Amino acid sequence: MNAILPPHWDPQLAADKVLANLVTVTSPVVKGAHDSDFVIVDGKAYIVYMANDVQPGEASTWPFVYNAMTIVDVATGELESTVTFAASEMKYQNASLPVGACFVPRIIEKDATTLRCFFASEDPEHRQSQTWYIDFNRVTRAFDWNIYQMLLETDAGLEPMQPVALHRHVAARGFARPLRSYGLYLVDSFKRIDGVVYAMMNNYPHGPSSLTVLNDQMNCLKVIGSQIYPTEPLLSETSFNKLPDGTLLAVSRQEGGSVNYMFSESRDGENWTPNEHRDTIVGGGCSKGTFDLFGGVYYLGWQDASQINGADRSIFNIDVSRDGANWERKYRFETERSFQYPVFRDWGGHVYVTVTQGGPSSCLKERIMFGRVE
């Protein structure tokens, strides 16, 4: 095997250098923050995330959780502006949101001037959550302040993107767990592979993970295939990528059991092999992983179950590979502030990250950080 990393590479030292240069994205009034996403266009990072001004952490039952966008100048790390674009009972030009948390925002570059932001509005067990989208104009630096329901294409046709729509689809294929009214998120998005934009979607409380394709209008996700294996442990927050031989490889967070990550493969995105443990990840913890491809090198990120001075999610590893089979440890992030739910993007020949960190609260979900990895 041809090594990617130079001899005597120190993964922790490399990670420490990254940690030392991260900048805080969230404003001082924010008490809790989590689950960011971002794009970089023309030297500006557009970062979306969940936040609240009341207490550390996040929960879908907290109606005071809102979604914000912060613009950061990549070269200087300067925060240029922050705006809230989704909140409980927020009024727009064409609609108003109901009471409920705004959860798991995602962002994509729609065209030369437009960024599209997605978010779920939910009030668990009181109504079906709904995924919405809103557009941001980079030229005017303003949202258009209209929101629209995201659609889901299933066997039943086009429906509003709600948990009930996905549940009907997977239940017809043997999915046995009960319907939940919330938790339908774009957990791993968006990935452009062979000219197609994919997103891995899951209904967090009960599963399953489903591979979807985003249409050209970017207002509808078509379900291609789902991981439905009733006898397996409960899996969630799946990340995926395409290997050199064309196989899709997915890595999933495991709830309960050993909590170590599990792997599944597919040749067509529709039919997936039963999930299994692999020696690729040993000692993984219960948290969201990442699986990216930058410059012909795969980056597999996973939460280590080990802890630094008892801090939860305080170790995050990144392994690299050219073939998706032979891996080398490139980064080992160790910090009592936690390093959880990172998102990695490449731009201009470099890799950047947004990540949740915290302290001194026990949940360690208090701020979003941004910086260059390499």
Side-chain angles (χ1 to χ4, degrees):
M1 180 185 72
N2 294 324
I4 297 173
L5 304 176
H8 312 298
W9 177 265
D10 188 331
Q12 185 175 343
L13 178 61
D16 286 346
K17 293 178 180 178
V18 175
L19 289 170
N21 292 296
L22 296 178
V23 298
T24 302
V25 170
T26 41
S27 65
V29 300
V30 171
K31 298 295 191 298
H34 194 40
D35 210 337
S36 57
D37 190 20
F38 72 105
V39 296
I40 299 178
V41 186
D42 293 338
K44 307 296 182 182
Y46 300 85
I47 304 168
V48 296
Y49 50 89
M50 298 189 294
N52 83 83
D53 303 339
V54 178
Q55 62 193 47
E58 44 74 33
S60 57
T61 55
W62 298 352
F64 47 84
V65 174
Y66 60 87
N67 294 163
M69 173 194 282
T70 295
I71 304 175
V72 179
D73 182 79
V74 173
T76 65
E78 179 184 356
L79 276 63
E80 297 188 347
S81 64
T82 295
V83 60
T84 297
F85 64 87
S88 178
E89 298 185 276
M90 191 167 181
K91 293 179 171 55
Y92 301 85
Q93 293 179 4
N94 66 333
S96 297
L97 290 174
V99 172
C102 292
F103 238 60
V104 188
R106 295 294 183 255
I107 186 169
I108 191 171
E109 186 178 5
K110 183 177 182 292
D111 55 44
T113 61
T114 308
L115 304 178
R116 178 157 290 180
C117 300
F118 306 82
F119 64 92
S121 168
E122 52 190 18
D123 188 9
E125 313 307 349
H126 293 99
R127 62 175 173 84
Q128 285 286 307
S129 72
Q130 171 67 50
T131 296
W132 299 81
Y133 65 86
I134 182 172
D135 287 340
F136 178 83
N137 188 303
R138 292 192 304 107
V139 177
T140 62
R141 286 205 165 191
F143 285 95
D144 70 1
W145 301 119
N146 290 280
I147 57 171
Y148 303 94
Q149 288 190 343
M150 190 67 176
L151 299 176
L152 194 63
E153 183 177 351
T154 67
D155 289 345
L158 296 180
E159 302 181 78
M161 186 173 165
Q162 299 177 358
V164 64
L166 179 63
H167 189 268
R168 277 197 297 261
H169 180 84
V170 296
R173 287 164 165 74
F175 184 71
R177 293 191 179 102
L179 168 67
R180 301 300 295 271
S181 65
Y182 67 103
L184 184 60
Y185 306 135
L186 301 177
V187 65
D188 189 34
S189 61
F190 292 96
K191 291 182 176 176
R192 190 178 296 274
I193 301 174
D194 299 332
V196 178
V197 179
Y198 292 93
M200 187 67 80
M201 176 177 64
N202 80 309
N203 199 7
Y204 178 78
H206 281 162
S209 292
S210 298
L211 183 67
T212 67
V213 170
L214 185 66
N215 68 348
D216 291 340
Q217 293 74 36
M218 295 188 178
N219 64 358
C220 179
L221 287 162
K222 180 179 180 179
V223 179
I224 303 301
S226 303
Q227 296 182 349
I228 304 172
Y229 303 105
T231 60
E232 289 187 338
L234 178 57
L235 304 174
S236 66
E237 297 185 331
T238 299
S239 187
F240 79 102
N241 224 302
K242 185 178 181 180
L243 299 180
D245 67 357
T247 301
L248 294 175
L249 179 63
V251 55
S252 298
R253 166 181 174 173
Q254 181 184 179
E255 309 290 336
S258 70
V259 305
N260 195 26
Y261 295 85
M262 302 187 78
F263 292 82
S264 179
E265 293 185 354
S266 175
R267 294 295 302 182
D268 57 8
E270 180 177 358
N271 302 288
W272 293 84
T273 61
N275 281 272
E276 62 181 8
H277 295 292
R278 294 186 180 181
D279 290 342
T280 302
I281 296 180
V282 177
C286 186
S287 188
K288 178 183 169 184
T290 62
F291 192 18
D292 297 297
L293 179 63
F294 301 132
V297 175
Y298 294 97
Y299 286 64
L300 177 64
W302 54 279
Q303 202 85 55
D304 199 307
S306 303
Q307 297 180 333
I308 303 298
N309 296 330
D312 191 29
R313 295 177 174 174
S314 54
I315 302 175
F316 194 91
N317 299 309
I318 297 179
D319 299 327
V320 293
S321 171
R322 287 195 177 94
D323 59 9
N326 300 286
W327 297 90
E328 303 171 62
R329 180 66 42 81
K330 187 165 188 177
Y331 297 104
R332 182 174 175 85
F333 294 93
E334 295 188 3
T335 169
E336 292 177 302
R337 293 174 295 175
S338 87
F339 194 94
Q340 54 179 308
Y341 281 64
V343 174
F344 301 95
R345 304 287 186 216
D346 61 337
W347 179 79
H350 300 289
V351 176
Y352 295 84
V353 65
T354 57
V355 63
T356 298
Q357 291 195 297
S361 75
S362 59
C363 71
L364 299 170
K365 300 176 182 177
E366 293 165 65
R367 62 189 67 90
I368 303 299
M369 313 295 291
F370 169 76
R372 179 174 148 183
V373 178
E374 58 189 54

